[in-house]
């Protein structure tokens, strides 16, 4: 198990290096984020003990279940799934360092209130729906700058960039336009020069399309399957998309 996992990590890092070289980018500017949905704490430990430091969960329940087993190993934990407002307390309790899925003002307001009470701050990425699919969470690209202006007013939320999930497709050229939209939006936001807003991070690209994402400017590659192996359910299940119930938020 350990040998396979480390071999897979080596392959992914080589892919990232090769993609950066081809795109004329510095590989230090692209970080590997391990998507650890359904992965046991035991297997995550192997990755953390062998040079990895950045992991991410999609579901709060899994964050809670693995916390005790992983807390002694230095690492950063991002949250990349759809976040319901009633789960905010858990995000803070279990030491998430960045919420990549901030997509609406109500969530920002409630996060801010909790953080103020705890005298803390948190890094956030604004999730953008670049695929124009109704099933996807994320702010619409044309509404993103307005949302960012409002979120930037909350002193506890440190905006570091943007995130998108992109189209679920095995054909990477069909996904590329999603990445281009996010990169173009990043450039527009930089030109707006909004106070308290950084646009250093573009979280986009997964196991199947990381080369395309790097070509289009990704700085955070979210990889799960290519390191930990195939899962029982499709990716869409873990993103809480499809028939989501917004009444519970």
């Amino acid at each position: 198990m350990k040998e396979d996992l480390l071999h897979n990590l080596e392959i992914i890092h080589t892919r990232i290096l090769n993609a950066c070289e081809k795109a004329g980018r510095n590989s230090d500017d692209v970080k590997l984020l391990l998507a650890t949905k359904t992965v046991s704490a035991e297997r995550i430990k192997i990755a953390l003990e062998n040079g990895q430091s950045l992991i991410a969960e999609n579901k709060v329940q899994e964050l809670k279940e693995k916390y005790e087993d992983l807390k002694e190993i230095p690492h950063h934990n991002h949250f990349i799934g759809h976040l319901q407002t009633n789960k905010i307390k858990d995000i803070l309790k279990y030491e998430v360092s960045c919420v990549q899925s901030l997509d609406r003002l109500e969530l920002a307001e409630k996060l801010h209130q909790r953080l103020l009470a705890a005298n803390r701050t948190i890094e956030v990425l604004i999730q953008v729906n670049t695929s124009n699919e109704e099933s996807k969470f994320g702010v619409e690209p044309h509404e993103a700058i307005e949302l960012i202006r409002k979120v930037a007013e909350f002193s506890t939320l440190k905006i570091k960039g943007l995130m998108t999930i992109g189209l679920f497709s095995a054909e990477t050229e069909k996904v590329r336009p999603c990445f281009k939209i996010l990169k173009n939006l990043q450039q527009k936001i930089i030109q707006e020069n909004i106070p308290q807003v950084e646009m250093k991070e573009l979280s986009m690209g997964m196991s199947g399309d990381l080369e395309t994402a790097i070509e289009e400017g990704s700085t955070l590659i979210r990889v799960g399957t290519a390191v930990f192996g195939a899962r029982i359910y499709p990716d869409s299940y873990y993103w809480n998309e499809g028939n989501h119930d917004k009444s519970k938020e």
Side-chain angles (χ1 to χ4, degrees), residues 181-196:
I181 287 170
L182 203 70
K183 180 64 177 180
N184 290 339
L185 183 58
Q186 177 201 39
Q187 297 307 304
K188 285 182 185 176
I189 295 164
I190 289 171
Q191 289 170 10
E192 293 287 326
N193 199 24
I194 305 167
Q196 312 305 318

Side-chain angles (χ1 to χ4, degrees), residues 69-249:
D69 289 329
L70 299 177
K71 70 177 183 179
E72 300 303 325
I73 307 173
H75 68 282
H76 294 286
N77 206 331
H78 288 204
F79 190 77
I80 54 178
H82 180 67
L83 181 57
Q84 296 178 350
T85 54
N86 63 355
K87 302 288 186 182
I88 288 172
K89 61 183 183 299
D90 293 322
I91 290 293
L92 304 186
K93 181 178 179 181
Y94 298 104
E95 299 180 3
V96 167
S97 62
C98 178
V99 174
Q100 292 200 15
S101 49
L102 184 59
D103 62 354
R104 59 205 189 280
L105 190 58
E106 180 201 15
L107 177 60
E109 288 172 338
K110 295 196 174 179
L111 256 175
H112 175 63
Q113 289 164 8
R114 281 270 181 184
L115 287 160
L116 267 185
N119 195 27
R120 290 171 58 183
T121 64
I122 199 168
E123 294 185 356
V124 298
L125 303 185
I126 303 300
Q127 182 177 350
V128 183
N129 181 353
T130 56
S131 62
N132 199 31
E133 295 171 280
E134 286 187 14
S135 63
K136 286 282 196 299
F137 290 106
V139 63
E140 296 298 320
H142 68 277
E143 297 174 347
I145 292 178
E146 181 185 357
L147 176 62
I148 286 169
R149 286 189 188 282
K150 291 175 178 175
V151 173
E153 294 177 6
F154 298 125
S155 59
T156 62
L157 304 179
K158 307 301 181 184
I159 301 175
K160 297 296 181 181
L162 307 172
M163 182 269 261
T164 197
I165 293 168
L167 194 69
F168 288 124
S169 174
E171 299 177 52
T172 56
E173 288 309 309
K174 288 186 176 180
V175 189
R176 189 186 295 274
C178 297
F179 300 155
K180 284 185 176 294
I181 287 170
L182 203 70
K183 180 64 177 180
N184 290 339
L185 183 58
Q186 177 201 39
Q187 297 307 304
K188 285 182 185 176
I189 295 164
I190 289 171
Q191 289 170 10
E192 293 287 326
N193 199 24
I194 305 167
Q196 312 305 318
V197 172
E198 288 184 32
M199 276 291 127
K200 291 182 179 177
E201 303 292 359
L202 284 184
S203 175
M204 59 187 193
M206 296 190 276
S207 299
D209 52 27
L210 67 86
E211 286 85 0
T212 307
I214 288 171
E215 285 175 24
E216 298 301 337
S218 178
T219 65
L220 276 168
I221 300 290
R222 306 183 303 268
V223 174
T225 304
V227 170
F228 297 111
R231 302 179 176 92
I232 300 170
Y233 302 107
D235 269 351
S236 52
Y237 170 82
Y238 299 103
W239 294 106
N240 298 344
E241 288 168 357
N243 298 319
H244 50 259
D245 182 359
K246 293 195 174 183
S247 67
K248 293 180 180 177
E249 294 163 17

Side-chain angles (χ1 to χ4, degrees), residues 8-25:
N8 291 344
L9 274 172
E10 187 178 341
I11 289 171
I12 287 295
H13 281 292
T14 300
R15 284 176 63 188
I16 290 172
L17 282 170
N18 291 342
C20 286
E21 188 175 330
K22 183 180 174 185
R25 296 184 60 194

